[in-house]
Amino acid sequence: MNWDWEKLQDKRQRQFGSGPDFKGLGDEFKRLGDFNFNVPGGPKVIFIILALLWLASGIYIVEPGEVGVVKRFGAYDRTTGPGPHYHIPFPVESVLTPKVAEVQKVEVGYATTGMKQEGGFQYRSVPEEALMLTGDDNIVDVQFIVQFQIGDPVEWLFRIQRPVPTVKAAAEAAMREVIGNKTIDSVLTTGKLEIQNTTKELLQSILDRYNSGVTIVAVQLQDVHAPKDVMEAFKDVASAMEDKDRYINEAESYANDILPKARGQAAALLNDAQGYRESVVRKAQGEASRFLAMLAEYNKAKDITHDRLFIEAMEEIFSNPELEKVIISDDALKQVVPYLPLDRQGRVKSGDKGGK
């Protein structure tokens, strides 16, 4: 095939004026044409190269943490694991590789808008998602995230048209149902862990009924508070409840400290009383035994025993240095006024001392 490039250039110059010189480019096209039409088998070689490239396009690699889902004419055909694989090239078969090991999350009640200049993330509240009604007819602002994984890639790809928005809508519905069965005090204080666990179970059951192929990893409350209009009043209530708990803890701590001491003191008093009782009883029994023995001797010899008892009593009195003695004979006693130490009687009685 011969092209008249000089006539072509003249024609272009007449139409567009002087322009770039295409003479060298024309030589290249000429040589390419000579290759295609003058070399034996030229079109067949090109066709074979294109066919090989088309066949090679069926090679694909599934990365770790992914699953290969092969579609044949748009319908599910088979699933492949990590590694190199082959499928019939387009348009017969195609491959999707969802990341089944990746933990995805959706935000409910708020949205991340970007990074702050000083670090961290910027958030904005989404009231239509966050405001929920509790079981005691109070409004509460609930912000939470749902973490999930692809459990069944086939159901994830073919059962639901928009899986991520579906997970978010189901999570919001599950949380509203759980919050609707709780009081606002429980939601704001002690019931958060139970709310998370119950919402996770309910959300998983909803997604299982949808055949969504989603596995819920966790439901985490990020922020739970009363609406802004009544925020201060709820803060006062929460502060009062904290003070109540603190006073209860302080009282229990004081009781735990004082009660063992009181029990110990009571046990010590009981032991002392028991010991004193035993001592008094045994002393009284001893005195009674001694008296009975003495009575037996007295019955045998009354005069001697009487004199011996008198002598022993007088010996005990006179030998006691703490007793003040005044000795007056019978004759002197008839002639003088009896001596009574009235000035010492008070002191003697107060000191548990006797005098004769």
Side-chain angles (χ1 to χ4, degrees):
M1 177 179 180
N2 295 322
W3 294 350
D4 193 349
W5 289 101
E6 294 181 355
K7 292 182 179 180
L8 179 63
Q9 289 181 1
D10 293 340
K11 183 177 180 180
R12 290 180 62 85
Q13 288 179 359
R14 286 194 301 269
Q15 291 178 353
F16 302 104
S18 61
D21 186 8
F22 292 98
K23 184 176 182 180
L25 184 61
D27 294 339
E28 296 295 331
F29 279 119
K30 184 177 181 180
R31 284 195 293 270
L32 181 61
D34 291 340
F35 174 80
N36 289 335
F37 296 99
N38 296 330
V39 175
K44 184 184 294 185
V45 171
I46 295 177
F47 177 78
I48 292 173
I49 293 174
L50 293 176
L52 291 175
L53 292 175
W54 179 75
L55 292 174
S57 66
I59 299 174
Y60 67 97
I61 297 176
V62 180
E63 300 292 338
E66 297 179 346
V67 170
V69 179
V70 181
K71 298 187 297 180
R72 179 172 294 176
F73 298 112
Y76 168 74
D77 182 69
R78 64 188 181 274
T79 302
T80 58
H85 301 277
Y86 185 81
H87 69 89
I88 301 174
F90 182 83
V92 179
E93 290 183 348
S94 60
V95 178
L96 298 174
T97 56
K99 300 181 183 296
V100 295
E102 180 183 2
V103 178
Q104 304 181 51
K105 75 171 185 177
V106 292
E107 301 169 343
V108 182
Y110 72 102
T112 303
T113 57
M115 293 285 293
K116 297 180 181 179
Q117 294 182 352
E118 62 275 10
F121 293 94
Q122 290 181 333
Y123 304 98
R124 65 177 180 85
S125 178
V126 184
E128 58 270 19
E129 298 177 359
L131 295 179
M132 301 182 184
L133 191 65
T134 63
D136 51 358
D137 297 331
N138 286 294
I139 298 176
V140 64
D141 192 309
V142 181
Q143 299 176 1
F144 65 99
I145 64 172
V146 177
Q147 296 177 333
F148 66 94
Q149 289 179 303
I150 300 174
D152 188 329
V154 177
E155 291 184 346
W156 169 266
L157 294 172
F158 299 103
R159 290 287 186 178
I160 300 178
Q161 185 176 8
R162 302 173 60 199
V164 174
T166 300
V167 172
K168 183 174 182 178
E172 182 180 348
M175 182 62 73
R176 289 186 183 279
E177 180 174 345
V178 173
I179 293 296
N181 294 325
K182 301 291 183 181
T183 63
I184 192 167
D185 292 338
S186 175
V187 173
L188 295 178
T189 55
T190 59
K192 294 181 180 179
L193 181 59
E194 182 183 358
I195 290 172
Q196 292 180 161
N197 295 333
T198 307
T199 303
K200 176 185 175 182
E201 295 174 359
L202 180 58
L203 175 58
Q204 186 66 68
S205 66
I206 294 173
L207 295 175
D208 289 344
R209 291 198 300 269
Y210 291 168
N211 295 322
S212 62
V214 175
T215 300
I216 301 300
V217 177
V219 175
Q220 297 179 349
L221 293 171
Q222 300 299 301
D223 190 13
V224 181
H225 57 267
K228 295 181 179 180
D229 296 338
V230 294
M231 178 70 72
E232 295 300 326
F234 274 94
K235 286 183 178 179
D236 292 340
V237 173
S239 177
M241 295 181 66
E242 291 176 358
D243 291 340
K244 172 187 173 182
D245 294 337
R246 179 170 58 84
Y247 292 146
I248 291 175
N249 293 334
E250 290 177 355
E252 290 178 349
S253 176
Y254 176 74
N256 293 333
D257 177 64
I258 198 66
L259 287 178
K261 292 180 179 179
R263 293 190 183 101
Q265 292 175 356
L269 290 175
L270 289 174
N271 292 333
D272 292 343
Q274 186 71 19
Y276 177 73
R277 188 188 74 170
E278 293 293 333
S279 174
V280 171
V281 170
R282 292 182 182 276
K283 184 177 180 180
Q285 290 175 349
E287 291 291 336
S289 298
R290 189 173 73 85
F291 178 78
L292 292 175
M294 190 179 297
L295 178 61
E297 295 298 327
Y298 178 78
N299 291 329
K300 294 178 182 179
K302 295 183 178 181
D303 295 335
I304 297 174
T305 304
H306 178 272
D307 294 339
R308 185 171 65 81
L309 291 175
F310 177 77
I311 293 171
E312 289 176 355
M314 296 303 296
E315 181 180 1
E316 182 181 356
I317 292 172
F318 283 111
S319 63
N320 189 353
E322 296 181 358
L323 294 177
E324 184 177 356
K325 299 94 178 174
V326 178
I327 301 173
I328 301 176
S329 64
D330 292 338
D331 295 337
L333 185 60
K334 296 177 181 178
Q335 298 177 4
V336 298
V337 177
Y339 174 73
L340 296 176
L342 298 176
D343 59 333
R344 293 188 180 183
Q345 242 180 347
R347 290 200 305 271
V348 170
K349 290 181 178 179
S350 64
D352 292 335
K353 296 179 181 178
K356 186 165 180 70

